[in-house]
Amino acid sequence: MESDRLVRTVGGGRVLLVRADITTIAVDAVINAANASLAGGGGVDGAIHRAAGPELMRELRERYQGCPTGSAVITGGGRLRARYVIHAVGPRWRDGNHREPELLEAAYRSAFALAAEHGCATVAAPAISTGIYGFPIELAAPLAIGTAAAALEAPDTSLREITFALFSDSDLEVFARAL
Ligand code: ADP
């Protein structure tokens, strides 16, 4: 990998790949890889809650009673450099025969749709389900990027830029191949 940043124009917008901690990115909305109980967890979810502060969990408890796999909910961004956090629930990988690809696409699609409903132009997303949930990143990357491209190509969308924040060089390389 020559660079730790990659850009591609899609429709009227751009898909960006960066190697970064998603909690440091200044965007309209940060997408979180949450779990269905919205109860907080490890990985990127723990990092986002720590960086955003307790307001995030308070708002989740007040407004929502969990979130089904393949969908997403939205809160304010707390102390993050983001107006919103969109909590998307990807599937836990079992064997690939339990609608995992479909559910991962649905989680991204719901998250991008919520961002557009709230007038967001810039969004950052992690590689949902590829950590603790065990979804093979080689299969997840094309689904994530394809769903992002479709969201940017939707007519009249407010979305202009979708950044995938990858946590390692190898994850970034897999996404770069898919892009
Ligand atoms: P899941 O349970 O959906 O698999 P994880 O948080 O375990 O969620 O992992 C999702 C992806 O997020 C993994 O690729 C992991 O390396 C990555 N990740 C963990 N912390 C961060 C962070 N601070 N910024 C961006 N990506 C992160």
Side-chain angles (χ1 to χ4, degrees):
M1 177 76 41
E2 298 277 302
S3 150
D4 60 359
R5 195 168 183 280
L6 235 125
V7 186
R8 180 152 167 195
T9 305
V10 180
R14 310 197 301 164
V15 174
L16 265 77
L17 308 181
V18 298
R19 191 171 63 70
D21 176 343
I22 200 167
T23 63
T24 66
I25 300 181
V27 278
D28 295 326
V30 161
I31 296 177
N32 182 18
N35 54 54
S37 61
L38 300 175
V44 71
D45 185 80
I48 286 174
H49 278 280
R50 271 193 304 278
E55 184 52 34
L56 224 60
M57 189 52 78
R58 199 174 308 134
E59 192 179 344
L60 281 175
R61 289 213 181 97
E62 272 172 23
R63 294 180 64 187
Y64 307 107
Q65 288 181 299
C67 176
T69 303
S71 59
V73 299
I74 190 164
T75 64
R79 295 198 288 254
L80 292 177
R81 300 166 70 200
R83 252 191 303 150
Y84 302 106
V85 174
I86 297 173
H87 307 260
V89 182
R92 188 185 291 277
W93 181 264
R94 289 162 73 182
D95 54 8
N97 296 316
H98 290 80
R99 299 171 54 230
E100 293 96 331
E102 184 187 326
L103 289 166
L104 184 61
E105 272 188 352
Y108 277 114
R109 204 165 44 239
S110 307
F112 296 139
L114 266 179
E117 275 170 39
H118 288 77
C120 297
T122 57
V123 174
I128 298 173
S129 287
T130 68
I132 297 161
Y133 276 9
F135 201 118
I137 193 161
E138 290 77 10
L139 301 180
L143 299 177
I145 287 173
T147 313
L152 290 167
E153 283 166 343
D156 301 325
T157 183
S158 61
L159 293 173
R160 288 289 169 266
E161 197 168 277
I162 296 176
T163 300
F164 287 98
L166 288 323
F167 215 38
S168 70
D169 285 331
S170 64
D171 287 357
L172 179 61
E173 274 174 39
V174 173
F175 266 69
R177 276 198 294 276
L179 188 67

